[in-house]
Amino acid sequence: MKNIGIVSYGAHIPRLRIKSSDIAKAWGKDPETITSGLGIIEKSVPSPDQDVATISVEAARAALARINIDPQDIGAVYVGSESHPYAVKPTGTIVGEAIGATPILKVADYEFACKAGTAAIQTCMALVKSGMVKYGLAIGADTSQAAPGDALEYAASAGGAAFIIGKEKVIANLNETCSFTTDTPDFWRREGRKYPAHGGRFTGAPAYFRHIMSNAKYLMDLVDTKPEDYDYAIFHQPNGKFPLRVAKMLGFTTDQVNQGLLCPIIGNTYSGASMLGFASVLDIAKPGNRIFLTSYGSGAGSDAFDITVTNYINELPREKAPLVSQLIEKKQYIDYATYAKYRDLLYED
Amino acid sequence: MADGAVPRFWREIPQRYNLISNQCGSCKKIYFPPRESCPYCRRKSMGKMKELKLKGTGKILTYSIIHTAPEHFEGQTPYPIAIIKLDEGPKITAQIVDCDLDDIKIGMRVKSTFRKIQEDGYMGAIHYGYKFKPVEVKK
Amino acid sequence: MMRDVAIIGVGVTKFGELWDKSFRNLIAEAGSKAILDSGISGKEIDALYVGSMSAGRFVGQEHVGALVADWSGFAHMHIPAIRVESACASGGLAVRQGYFSVASGMNDVVVVGGVEKMTDVVGDEATDTLATGLDQEWEAFFGATFPGIYAMIATRHMYDYGTTREQLAKVAVKNHANGALNPYAQFKRAIPLDKVLKSPITAYPLGMLDCSPVSDGAATIILCAANKAKNYTDKPVKIIGTGQASDTLALHGRRDICTFDSTVYAAKKAYKQAKLQPKDIDVAEVHDCFTIAEILAIEDLGFVKKGEGGKAVDDKITTLDGEIPVNTSGGLKAKGHPVGATGVAQIAEIVMQLRGEADQRQVKDAKIGLTHNVGAVGASCIVHILEAI
């Protein structure tokens, strides 16, 4: 797709952090084993007054801070998350109102586990390409839930990123996108339940690896590229190990993956994960950089993107909003008791 | 706070989300929340009040740390509230976030941020709005 | 042409957590005490004025005027009853409205009562109801509490004038010492400075003992045309000045965070009418819902200069034997603060002082007294000046 792509972007990561070792100690597990086993040192935690709506608004406002467009020209807002504040009443309308894009606006909320945000990007691409909107805003954000004591507790974190998609002054061209989807029940959360359930080791090979591998190969076939053609590769990151492993299996190097790999220090931000990884890459990207982005969402599916950074990236005042690295550095540690209170773990499901 | 009082708080979304104030067409004084008319110009200002979006930057005039929470804020204490003088003139009352309680000072520069303010219980509507965080002093 | 008005009788109930007394019991008790004290007969009553902040939320009852007329035994006489509300100044406002109705010549004898029953709801509900005196949409909505807003005044007063937590605490110590001498007070024990300073923080810098309590109680006075007062009592007390003023509802709207302009303007009007100055006042009951409120009051009433309220406390100017004894009853802090009753109870205390009936709290040669009743955080204020005639 010529000249359809990212026009601006923004990110938000809540300040609070909890160390994997502190969670491990609370549950009587060996901190060393857990930390090195999962490849996660610490994760972000939302404060009681933060949720997917507030994170989405911060990320969207950050994207708008870097660009001079009339918010009324944003014709669509799609927010992907698996922890929307309401089961019924979209996060997108709250964001739309908070950025001044209402009322002529297409809005819906998306859910597809961790890939709801990239699905939103695809939708916006189509709306922009067809001329149905001038700009589309795609957001992936989560304040993911994890049952106390469950393995997911070390990773489930909070954060999000927003991407404004358009045709003019595109800073990163979304050359091509494709998706690989099957009905695979590796991880799910039932309606009305507080915590998800998962299939343990089943979440590996038949789920994460199968979909990412298949989709990545499919995309590289479509655009006729090889891993070495890319400067950066971003994969969905449920822990610090899977993305490195799948990168290796596909033929990408650790160097290509590092900039977009945030899980070790902020955990798995679910719908925000690959999106934040992408934002982190855009923070330092240079004209001509080629980026390979592959998300994964349980249930299951993967969205992949072949991206080329344009000259316009140098015109974008990236310093007008916090860089991902700055958001990561701005942190305050809490202990497990405070974490339990903030994440509502002390109440019955 | 009346639970289920949705319309009352819905009406104030432009103020809580976007700090929409208004300005007297006569004396140019800015009011937040917006007023029907200017208390000083009175009838001269009727029909002449113009909507104006505030930047959200200002400084702390005074503050307190709440330890005994009111309804809907249980579990959040201790939290700071402050009176902030916005750069455009109006003064508002709001919570301070992302700041150690000991670091809050009168005169501190702050900027608005979008947060959850309260909800009508776990089944009710969620009300979002402004809180203020310290502005980094550029060295 | 306005005629002079006198107070010919007072009655107060004990203030406290009065589990056995209902809203109706309380107002009836205060009312009957006042009527007996005055010597009037029920047939002479022209109207009833009642101050009650929030009977609706505390006991689920509105139409309070009608209730009080009925429960005082006057329903069959069809006496007009008026309920007024100005948050914590409801009592003072009732006094003022009753005063106008007599001064104007419309009424000759008027009963003015104030009542609040705050313990029929759980503690949190009581404090949330008090907070309805704040700006609900622009202060309370964002998490501000009633003590929190007053605490912000304290923070700024400490910043502007160097007032200290110790000085605030000394106000509580003084008032509890006075309360210990008042048989009607909720708290009848002196409290040491240390205990006040160490009390759990409610809203920094105010601790629990900087705050007046949740209380039940009622107070009633009988007003009468001054030229007829001697028919009933040989110790009438004349209302020689009345003043009322309003200000912005929210503290953030004020001209100066550390001044209650409503007090300044209400007091100005009262002093002007009475042709007096602050230094002429012998004894005062001021609105100390929080310790900082008393510091502001003595400044805004003109007893000391702005900013010197803390120093005045250190110099013991406002103690029982000081230059200007303030809150001889124990104030809201120790006497208790059944919200609607307070404004009327303050008048009752000054009347007792001016009659020489204040027992161990008696201020020597008290001839002129002042009452100061504030609504919530100073959005309204009513000041009265009384003189023994």
Side-chain angles (χ1 to χ4, degrees):
Chain A
M1 255 165 270
K2 215 58 197 288
N3 291 333
I4 300 230
I6 312 296
V7 154
S8 185
Y9 71 103
H12 187 72
I13 302 171
R15 271 171 101 226
L16 302 177
R17 302 279 184 276
I18 185 168
K19 296 193 172 120
S20 302
S21 51
D22 284 339
I23 301 176
K25 281 184 217 155
W27 293 104
K29 302 268 191 283
D30 176 42
E32 227 345 274
T33 313
I34 296 285
T35 308
S36 57
L38 290 171
I40 302 174
I41 301 167
E42 56 195 46
K43 69 170 189 175
S44 60
V45 182
S47 55
D49 60 357
Q50 292 178 306
D51 62 13
V52 164
T54 68
I55 292 172
S56 300
V57 168
E58 291 279 7
R61 284 179 174 175
L64 284 165
R66 286 170 166 151
I67 194 180
N68 202 6
I69 63 169
D70 181 354
Q72 289 286 298
D73 285 339
I74 295 176
V77 174
Y78 293 94
V79 182
S81 178
E82 53 183 279
S83 52
H84 287 290
Y86 296 90
V88 178
K89 193 199 147 355
T91 308
T93 59
I94 300 168
V95 174
E97 203 72 63
I99 60 170
T102 53
I104 307 301
L105 190 65
K106 296 171 182 46
V107 173
D109 277 4
Y110 275 7
E111 185 280 309
F112 198 140
C114 303
K115 81 160 195 76
T118 49
I121 293 180
Q122 291 175 325
T123 304
C124 287
M125 285 168 72
L127 288 173
V128 168
K129 179 164 196 236
S130 64
M132 283 169 73
V133 303
K134 187 169 179 195
Y135 297 107
L137 174 61
I139 300 174
D142 252 301
T143 54
S144 22
Q145 316 86 334
D150 185 87
L152 290 173
E153 202 175 22
Y154 299 97
S157 65
F163 294 86
I164 300 179
I165 287 139
K167 276 181 182 155
E168 294 165 14
K169 295 204 176 174
V170 167
I171 63 167
N173 214 68
L174 298 168
N175 308 324
E176 185 61 78
T177 183
C178 60
S179 301
F180 185 90
T181 310
T182 69
D183 183 359
T184 304
D186 57 316
F187 163 105
W188 63 90
R189 183 165 66 82
R190 293 296 302 274
E191 176 64 56
R193 306 310 293 176
K194 205 168 167 190
Y195 302 118
H198 55 90
R201 287 189 58 80
F202 183 71
T203 61
Y208 178 91
F209 290 97
R210 177 180 175 214
H211 293 74
I212 291 194
M213 298 279 298
S214 312
N215 202 25
K217 287 189 186 139
Y218 182 48
L219 177 66
M220 286 192 274
D221 270 343
L222 260 182
V223 296
D224 196 24
T225 54
K226 297 186 294 302
E228 48 266 38
D229 295 330
Y230 293 94
D231 297 289
Y232 299 100
I234 304 140
F235 297 99
H236 174 52
Q237 32 205 284
N239 54 57
K241 297 292 178 76
F242 276 20
L244 292 171
R245 199 181 309 158
V246 82
K248 193 161 175 212
M249 285 159 71
L250 285 166
F252 289 91
T253 67
T254 339
D255 278 342
Q256 288 170 303
V257 172
N258 269 341
Q259 182 64 20
L261 183 60
L262 308 175
C263 188
I265 43 180
I266 59 167
N268 178 5
T269 53
Y270 285 46
S271 297
S274 1
M275 313 267 279
L276 275 168
F278 184 24
S280 172
V281 166
L282 287 177
D283 281 345
I284 60 160
K286 295 194 177 52
N289 281 160
R290 200 124 181 217
I291 302 170
F292 188 83
L293 167 63
T294 311
S295 67
Y296 171 73
S298 291
S302 166
D303 301 326
F305 301 81
D306 171 60
I307 301 157
T308 305
V309 179
T310 73
N311 289 339
Y312 282 113
I313 196 149
N314 285 339
E315 283 177 38
L316 190 81
R318 283 173 277 191
E319 71 283 356
K320 283 208 165 152
L323 302 179
V324 171
S325 55
Q326 291 169 333
L327 292 167
I328 289 174
E329 266 159 42
K330 219 168 4 148
K331 57 183 170 176
Q332 185 195 330
Y333 290 104
I334 56 172
D335 60 16
Y336 192 79
T338 308
Y339 168 82
K341 184 174 85 160
Y342 283 177
R343 297 306 283 143
D344 249 4
L345 302 183
L346 304 174
Y347 302 97
E348 253 174 50
D349 188 4
Chain B
M1 206 65 54
D3 276 0
V6 183
R8 176 148 73 109
F9 302 118
W10 158 78
R11 273 192 289 271
E12 291 162 3
I13 283 177
Q15 279 67 56
R16 290 205 320 277
Y17 287 17
N18 290 315
L19 289 174
I20 304 294
S21 70
N22 69 0
Q23 181 168 41
C24 173
S26 188
C27 71
K28 303 298 176 207
K29 209 155 177 277
I30 296 171
Y31 294 100
F32 183 86
R35 284 182 173 264
E36 260 66 23
S37 59
C38 170
Y40 297 95
C41 301
R42 293 186 295 279
R43 75 189 66 191
K44 280 193 290 181
S45 68
M46 289 181 188
K48 297 217 186 88
M49 305 298 285
K50 237 184 118 195
E51 231 180 56
L52 178 68
K53 183 174 181 213
L54 301 178
K55 284 187 323 238
T57 50
K59 64 174 185 182
I60 292 180
L61 290 185
T62 183
Y63 66 94
S64 172
I65 316 289
I66 305 293
H67 284 256
T68 305
E71 195 188 7
H72 299 307
F73 292 86
E74 303 90 344
Q76 292 181 39
T77 55
Y79 59 86
I81 52 155
I83 291 182
I84 293 144
K85 184 168 169 82
L86 297 172
D87 290 339
E88 296 93 338
K91 292 176 273 184
I92 63 177
T93 300
Q95 285 186 36
I96 304 293
V97 292
D98 289 2
C99 185
D100 278 340
L101 300 182
D102 294 328
D103 291 342
I104 302 178
K105 301 265 175 307
I106 290 180
M108 215 166 95
R109 295 280 310 162
V110 291
K111 184 161 179 18
S112 64
T113 184
F114 188 86
R115 292 290 174 100
K116 203 159 64 164
I117 304 296
Q118 55 163 279
E119 53 192 31
D120 292 337
Y122 70 94
M123 271 189 68
I126 303 172
H127 302 298
Y128 297 93
Y130 49 76
K131 295 191 185 182
F132 283 74
K133 58 182 178 183
V135 168
E136 258 93 68
V137 177
K138 292 206 161 57
K139 298 204 176 75
Chain C
M1 200 50 226
M2 302 273 273
R3 59 181 180 170
D4 286 339
V5 180
I7 301 163
I8 57 171
V10 301
V12 294
T13 67
K14 278 202 167 81
F15 284 5
E17 286 177 321
L18 310 174
W19 306 109
D20 295 336
K21 302 262 163 105
S22 69
F23 182 94
R24 303 174 191 206
N25 292 150
L26 291 168
I27 193 63
E29 182 185 325
S32 25
K33 278 182 176 173
I35 288 174
L36 286 172
D37 186 51
S38 69
I40 60 163
S41 113
K43 291 200 291 282
E44 300 176 83
I45 299 172
D46 291 321
L48 277 177
Y49 282 82
V50 177
S52 178
M53 173 180 174
S54 196
R57 282 180 67 131
F58 286 124
V59 296
Q61 177 71 57
E62 296 293 8
H63 216 171
V64 169
L67 171 63
V68 173
D70 185 359
W71 233 252
S72 310
F74 302 130
H76 70 286
M77 290 153 69
H78 312 298
I79 295 177
I82 302 96
R83 181 262 191 109
V84 297
E85 183 274 323
S86 194
C88 328
S90 298
L93 182 58
V95 171
R96 184 171 156 89
Q97 295 304 108
Y99 164 85
F100 283 141
S101 78
V102 175
S104 66
M106 278 303 290
N107 294 323
D108 283 334
V109 177
V110 155
V111 177
V112 178
V115 54
E116 213 78 50
K117 174 73 190 167
M118 297 173 73
T119 61
D120 275 356
V121 293
V122 177
D124 287 351
E125 178 64 41
T127 45
D128 285 340
T129 298
L130 283 175
T132 61
L134 300 178
D135 187 328
Q136 281 302 290
E137 289 163 33
W138 305 102
E139 287 179 311
F141 181 86
F142 290 94
T145 60
F146 193 43
I149 300 288
Y150 266 99
M152 290 207 283
I153 297 176
T155 304
R156 187 76 205 196
H157 206 273
M158 287 158 79
Y159 177 85
D160 281 343
Y161 305 113
T163 307
T164 64
R165 280 201 71 209
E166 281 73 22
Q167 288 166 336
L168 294 177
K170 282 180 184 175
V171 172
V173 171
K174 166 183 76 75
N175 289 346
H176 276 279
N178 292 350
L181 307 171
N182 184 353
Y184 298 103
Q186 181 165 354
F187 299 117
K188 295 197 203 33
R189 247 195 324 195
I191 295 182
L193 182 68
D194 207 55
K195 190 146 185 241
V196 181
L197 286 169
K198 290 213 175 95
S199 63
I201 301 284
T202 298
Y204 184 83
L206 300 179
M208 205 181 74
L209 290 177
D210 283 291
C211 312
S212 56
V214 162
S215 328
D216 304 323
T220 304
I221 62 174
I222 315 292
L223 299 179
C224 161
N227 57 15
K228 298 189 176 138
K230 289 265 160 72
N231 297 348
Y232 301 103
T233 170
D234 38 297
K235 285 193 207 167
V237 172
K238 200 161 74 166
I239 295 178
I240 58 173
T242 177
Q244 179 179 0
S246 62
D247 203 342
T248 65
L249 183 57
L251 180 66
H252 59 240
R254 304 286 164 76
R255 178 192 63 83
D256 173 28
I257 289 171
C258 294
T259 303
F260 279 175
D261 281 338
S262 61
T263 298
V264 173
Y265 283 91
K268 258 199 190 115
K269 290 185 209 177
Y271 287 131
K272 185 163 182 231
Q273 181 183 357
K275 297 196 183 56
L276 292 175
Q277 298 193 5
K279 62 178 175 57
D280 300 319
I281 308 296
D282 297 323
V283 60
E285 285 286 295
V286 311
H287 199 88
D288 63 321
C289 46
F290 300 93
T291 48
I292 181 65
E294 181 166 319
I295 300 241
L296 243 64
I298 61 179
E299 294 172 355
D300 297 334
L301 289 167
F303 298 149
V304 296
K305 283 211 206 59
K306 177 50 65 183
E308 294 189 1
K311 182 171 176 301
V313 169
D314 276 340
D315 293 344
K316 298 191 155 92
I317 291 175
T318 54
T319 57
L320 256 187
D321 41 20
E323 255 168 66
I324 167 68
V326 168
N327 285 337
T328 57
S329 63
L332 280 55
K333 182 73 195 64
K335 168 167 58 58
H337 183 33
V339 187
T342 285
V344 184
Q346 289 175 326
I347 300 275
E349 174 71 5
I350 295 301
V351 166
M352 287 191 260
Q353 285 284 355
L354 300 183
R355 282 179 182 173
E357 291 169 2
D359 298 324
Q360 295 181 283
R361 315 181 307 283
Q362 187 63 52
V363 170
K364 245 173 76 119
D365 298 327
K367 292 279 184 303
I368 299 184
L370 177 147
T371 62
H372 165 254
N373 193 203
V374 173
V377 196
S380 62
C381 178
I382 293 117
V383 170
H384 284 101
I385 300 177
L386 280 54
E387 181 181 30
I389 51 171

